[in-house]
């Protein structure tokens, strides 16, 4: 390797442009995001310093606190449901694919296909498929003689959030599947073979060997799912609208934040102060949980 | 049993897409009457109308422009930083690497308010350049991470031999090291191109004129206009999904490697 003193001009030339972009469009905006939360805003102009006032408002004024707490509850439901359906389902699919059964390559490509599509395509496709009268889902249920299960999925406050969770799992399940598959492929074959020779059942192999040894994949898929669940925006925005219809049953923090920061159709008011305060809280919450989860889950990981 | 479950799952993954493509070739009345029947594939009325009436080609052009420029800039700038970090010893190498590493974990969406104020100050609201700048900033950390990891594995003898022969540092980078970097550049390129191509959030905030909309954003406008014309809607979804799906089918191995990069080691 060359020493940098001889090549200082060249090294400076190499690192300056990328660092300038990072400074201008990552470091500066993120630091500003924190400072913005301590001011009151009128449209695009910053006004008085209000200290922690914006943060206090979010918890004490009901027109902020009520939607935030309800949305937070929905985000938790989304996280829990996706943890089972998306990551749990992905783990099982990975286990099915692990032995490279007949059609392995086809199934691998098929399960990952929705992952490469835009949320916009996925959202509108499922919105049409879930249409109460003309959608293919209810069409299939009626044809199968299950007409009483043909519900107005997105229009009923009891089923709307579940329908969104299903669409999200359809979109993303290929991602944890292939991450778990890659993790399983690192387990030495001999370990599994000797366990099977000792008479271990499939369930035992899965629970006692594969699951602990695939722990690094579980850590990373959980962390990404957590960040995704609390950043959730596109699917509810496009499928059930900015207000989280019907009756706020699909309202999540991403929608609350967007309405605060960029206004809604009924009252196009921008409130950058309270919006920044909510963004700051979300950021701190996500950083804290992601760090804690990583540390805790890492402990479970076993070095091979 | 495993076979059956895998087949069921693949059917669940693919069947909605098959219904979408079928419906794209049907008039709306037929979609309502027979949603599952295969269509008459010679009936391309919906596609003809989309090309004639909607702004789809414009949206497609904008998406190609924004994604293309962003990915080229990400790869050029990312490789520059990674090359300096991986191939030269200097005091700031580690701190600079850590700055990029920290960027991996930050969801830039949460800084959307300051980004909006900043772009407004730069006069870049409703400009495609605002999108490109943000995508480049978002893409640099992962690219620096991927490229540094790869460049560190290259043996130093390659450069030393060239230096003894009197080659300049830029020449060594360009003629000797970069030609070896094609595989990680493909991975990093896909890792960034797919989310940029698919992004809806940043155009929603920054782009207003119809002529500057990208494909995902334009699709929302289109869906608003043709809300009850299901034949048109499914044809629009099909056209929007087509380019990336075709590339994915050809390059599925690289896509899967690229999109799970950084997660799978």
């Amino acid at each position: 390797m060359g020493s940098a003193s001889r090549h200082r001009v060249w090294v400076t030339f190499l690192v300056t442009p990328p660092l300038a972009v990072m400074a201008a469009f990552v470091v500066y905006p993120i630091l500003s995001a924190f400072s913005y939360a301590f001011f009151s805003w009128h449209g695009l102009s910053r006004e008085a310093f209000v200290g922690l006032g914006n943060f206090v408002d979010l918890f004490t004024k009901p027109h902020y606190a009520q939607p935030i707490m309800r949305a937070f509850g929905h985000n938790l439901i989304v996280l829990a449901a996706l943890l089972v359906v998306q990551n749990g389902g992905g783990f099982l699919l990975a286990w099915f694919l692990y032995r490279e059964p007949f059609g392995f390559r086809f199934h691998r490509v098929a399960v990952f296909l929705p992952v490469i599509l835009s949320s916009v395509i996925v959202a509108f496709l499922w919105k049409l498929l879930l249409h109460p009268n003309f959608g293919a889902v209810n069409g299939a249920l009626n044809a199968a003689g299950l007409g009483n299960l043909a519900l107005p999925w997105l229009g009923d406050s009891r089923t709307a959030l579940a329908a969104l969770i299903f669409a999200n799992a359809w979109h993303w399940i290929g991602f944890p599947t292939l991450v778990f598959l890659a993790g399983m492929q690192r387990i030495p074959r001999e370990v599994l073979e000797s366990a099977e020779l000792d008479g271990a059942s499939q369930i035992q192999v899965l629970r006692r060997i594969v699951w602990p040894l695939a722990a690094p994949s579980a850590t990373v898929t959980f962390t990404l799912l957590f960040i995704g669940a609390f950043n959730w925006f596109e699917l509810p925005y496009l499928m059930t609208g900015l207000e989280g219809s019907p009756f706020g049953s699909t309202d999540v923090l991403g929608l609350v934040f967007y309405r605060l920061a960029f206004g809604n159709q009924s009252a196009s008011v921008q409130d950058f102060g309270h919006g920044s305060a909510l963004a700051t809280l979300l950021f701190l919450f996500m950083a804290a949980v992601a760090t804690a989860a990583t540390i805790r889950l890492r402990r479970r990981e076993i070095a091979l | 049993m495993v076979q059956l479950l895998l087949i069921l799952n693949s059917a669940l993954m693919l069947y909605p897409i098959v219904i979408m493509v079928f419906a794209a070739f049907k008039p709306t009345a037929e979609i309502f009457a027979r949603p599952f029947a295969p269509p008459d594939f010679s009936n391309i009325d919906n596609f003809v109308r989309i090309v004639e009436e909607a702004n789809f080609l414009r949206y497609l052009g904008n998406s190609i422009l924004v994604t293309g420029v962003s990915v080229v800039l990400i790869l050029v700038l990312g490789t520059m930083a990674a090359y300096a970090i991986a191939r030269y010893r200097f005091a700031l190498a580690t701190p600079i690497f850590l700055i990029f590493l920290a960027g991996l974990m930050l969801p830039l969406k949460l800084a959307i308010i300051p980004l909006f104020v900043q772009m407004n100050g730069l006069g870049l609201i409703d400009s495609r350049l605002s999108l490109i700048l943000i995508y480049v900033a978002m893409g640099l950390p992962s690219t620096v991470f991927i490229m540094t990891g790869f460049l560190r594995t290259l043996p130093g003898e390659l450069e030393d031999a060239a230096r003894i022969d009197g080659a300049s540092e830029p020449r060594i980078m360009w003629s000797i090291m970069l030609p070896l970097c094609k595989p990680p550049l493909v991975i990093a390129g896909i890792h960034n191109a797919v989310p940029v191509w698919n992004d809806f959030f940043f155009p929603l905030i920054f782009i207003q004129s119809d002529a500057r909309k990208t494909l995902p954003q334009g699709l929302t406008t289109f869906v608003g206009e043709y809300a009850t014309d299901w034949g048109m809607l499914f044809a629009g979804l099909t056209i929007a999904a087509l380019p990336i799906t075709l590339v994915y089918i050809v390059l599925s191995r690289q896509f899967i490697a690229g999109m799970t990069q950084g997660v799978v080691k």
Side-chain angles (χ1 to χ4, degrees):
Chain A
M1 282 194 193
S3 76
S5 52
R6 265 195 295 143
H7 311 302
R8 180 166 292 159
V9 176
W10 170 235
V11 169
T12 309
F13 167 79
L14 286 175
V15 297
T16 306
L19 275 181
V21 173
M22 285 294 286
F25 298 105
V26 177
V27 178
Y28 173 73
I30 293 214
L31 294 180
S32 316
F34 295 136
S35 77
Y36 281 17
F38 297 96
F39 291 85
S40 72
W41 286 73
H42 187 77
L44 276 167
S45 64
R46 200 175 74 177
E47 307 204 325
F49 180 79
V50 293
L52 291 170
N54 291 329
F55 293 95
V56 173
D57 286 350
L58 293 183
F59 290 103
T60 53
K61 292 196 175 158
H63 68 283
Y64 294 119
Q66 277 172 2
I68 287 174
M69 290 323 288
R70 184 180 60 182
F72 182 73
H74 290 154
N75 284 96
L76 284 177
I77 294 172
V78 169
L79 174 66
L82 289 177
L83 191 60
V84 175
V85 181
Q86 195 167 297
N87 285 11
F91 178 79
L92 287 179
L93 284 172
W95 174 240
F96 297 157
L97 287 168
Y98 169 68
R99 274 145 207 267
E100 311 205 352
F102 176 76
F104 166 77
R105 287 169 55 89
F106 169 79
H107 293 304
R108 205 171 83 117
V109 171
V111 77
F112 205 72
L113 176 60
V115 175
I116 60 137
L117 297 177
S118 172
S119 305
V120 180
I121 295 173
V122 174
F124 289 137
L125 176 59
W126 280 102
K127 199 174 175 181
L128 290 172
L129 295 177
L130 290 167
H131 190 278
N133 304 326
F134 306 117
V137 171
N138 284 353
L141 288 170
N142 284 324
L146 298 168
N148 53 340
L149 283 181
L151 302 170
W153 302 102
L154 292 169
D156 187 323
S157 51
R158 286 165 304 178
T159 53
L161 191 62
L164 292 183
I165 289 168
F166 172 80
N168 192 85
W170 181 83
H171 188 189
W172 287 109
I173 194 167
F175 190 81
T177 302
L178 291 190
V179 172
F180 277 122
L181 179 60
M184 288 176 191
Q185 282 167 340
R186 281 200 305 272
I187 301 172
R189 288 267 170 180
E190 309 86 72
V191 176
L192 292 181
E193 278 160 13
S194 62
E196 275 161 13
L197 280 177
D198 291 346
S201 69
Q202 287 284 304
I203 304 277
Q204 281 174 319
V205 170
L206 204 57
R207 272 191 53 197
R208 306 261 176 225
I209 300 175
V210 178
W211 175 241
L213 288 179
S217 314
T219 307
V220 80
T221 49
F222 172 78
T223 310
L224 290 176
L225 178 69
F226 172 76
I227 293 172
F230 277 87
N231 264 324
W232 215 35
F233 175 76
E234 278 90 344
L235 228 46
Y237 176 80
L238 292 166
M239 291 178 76
T240 52
L242 188 50
E243 310 287 338
S245 306
F247 312 113
S249 62
T250 58
D251 202 12
V252 286
L253 288 169
L255 295 175
V256 175
F257 169 71
Y258 187 93
R259 291 200 301 269
L260 260 183
F262 297 99
N264 51 15
Q265 289 98 331
S266 47
S268 74
V269 206
Q270 292 187 324
D271 185 348
F272 280 178
H274 290 95
S276 295
L278 182 56
T280 302
L281 289 177
L282 260 173
F283 177 82
L284 295 176
F285 173 68
M286 293 201 313
V289 175
T291 311
T294 305
I295 292 170
R296 220 183 120 65
L297 292 168
R298 277 272 154 80
R299 266 195 222 136
R300 218 169 58 75
E301 295 175 8
I302 302 163
L304 277 173
Chain B
M1 181 63 182
V2 163
Q3 272 297 334
L4 182 70
L5 288 169
L6 279 176
I7 290 168
L8 277 177
N9 182 69
S10 289
L12 180 63
M13 291 291 124
L14 297 180
Y15 201 48
I17 295 171
V18 171
I19 292 178
M20 171 181 86
V21 176
F22 279 7
F25 291 91
K26 295 175 186 175
T28 301
E30 202 190 326
I31 299 173
F32 290 172
R34 285 185 299 276
F36 305 106
D40 169 8
F41 282 108
S42 64
N43 176 8
I44 54 166
D45 290 356
N46 294 325
F47 295 103
V48 173
R49 275 184 64 204
I50 283 185
V51 173
E52 281 172 358
E53 294 173 25
N55 250 342
F56 252 74
L57 294 179
R58 194 68 204 248
Y59 304 148
L60 186 67
N62 287 332
S63 271
I64 292 173
L65 177 79
V66 169
T67 308
V69 174
S70 301
V71 171
V72 168
L73 284 174
I74 288 169
L75 294 182
V76 169
L77 294 171
T79 306
M80 284 166 69
Y83 192 82
I85 293 166
R87 303 309 297 183
Y88 298 96
R89 239 172 291 187
F90 59 106
L92 289 174
T94 305
I96 289 175
F97 188 59
L98 288 177
I99 289 177
F100 286 110
L101 211 57
L104 271 180
M105 295 305 289
L106 298 171
L108 206 51
K109 260 184 183 178
L110 288 176
I112 189 64
I113 291 176
L115 280 169
F116 185 84
V117 174
Q118 195 178 357
M119 291 299 171
N120 188 58
L122 293 168
L124 290 178
I125 297 294
D126 203 21
S127 153
R128 283 158 292 198
L129 186 57
S130 63
L131 299 179
I132 292 172
L133 289 170
I134 289 171
Y135 293 147
V136 172
M138 281 203 307
L140 278 177
S142 62
T143 307
V144 170
F145 190 68
I146 294 168
M147 295 311 294
T148 307
F150 178 80
L151 283 161
R152 276 186 177 148
T153 65
L154 296 179
E157 291 89 40
L158 291 169
E159 299 157 280
D160 295 338
R163 280 200 190 101
I164 291 164
D165 290 344
S168 67
E169 295 301 311
R171 173 132 204 100
I172 293 171
M173 179 183 178
W174 184 257
S175 312
I176 297 175
M177 306 305 269
L178 283 188
L180 300 170
C181 291
K182 272 180 203 151
L185 280 173
V186 170
I187 297 292
I190 290 173
H191 183 83
N192 288 294
V194 176
V196 170
W197 177 265
N198 285 336
D199 183 48
F200 166 67
F201 183 72
F202 289 105
L204 175 71
I205 306 287
F206 288 113
I207 304 295
Q208 286 127 22
S209 352
D210 199 51
R212 298 199 182 96
K213 284 179 178 170
T214 58
L215 199 53
Q217 187 194 14
L219 193 60
T220 64
T221 313
F222 172 83
V223 167
E225 283 168 15
Y226 293 90
T228 56
D229 194 339
W230 280 35
M232 287 290 273
L233 294 183
F234 278 113
L237 291 175
T238 303
I239 294 184
L242 192 65
I244 194 165
T245 307
L246 288 181
V247 183
Y248 168 67
I249 288 170
V250 176
L251 296 176
S252 62
R253 213 164 43 84
Q254 288 86 341
F255 262 68
I256 291 170
M259 290 191 69
T260 55
Q261 182 68 38
V263 177
V264 176
K265 277 170 207 118

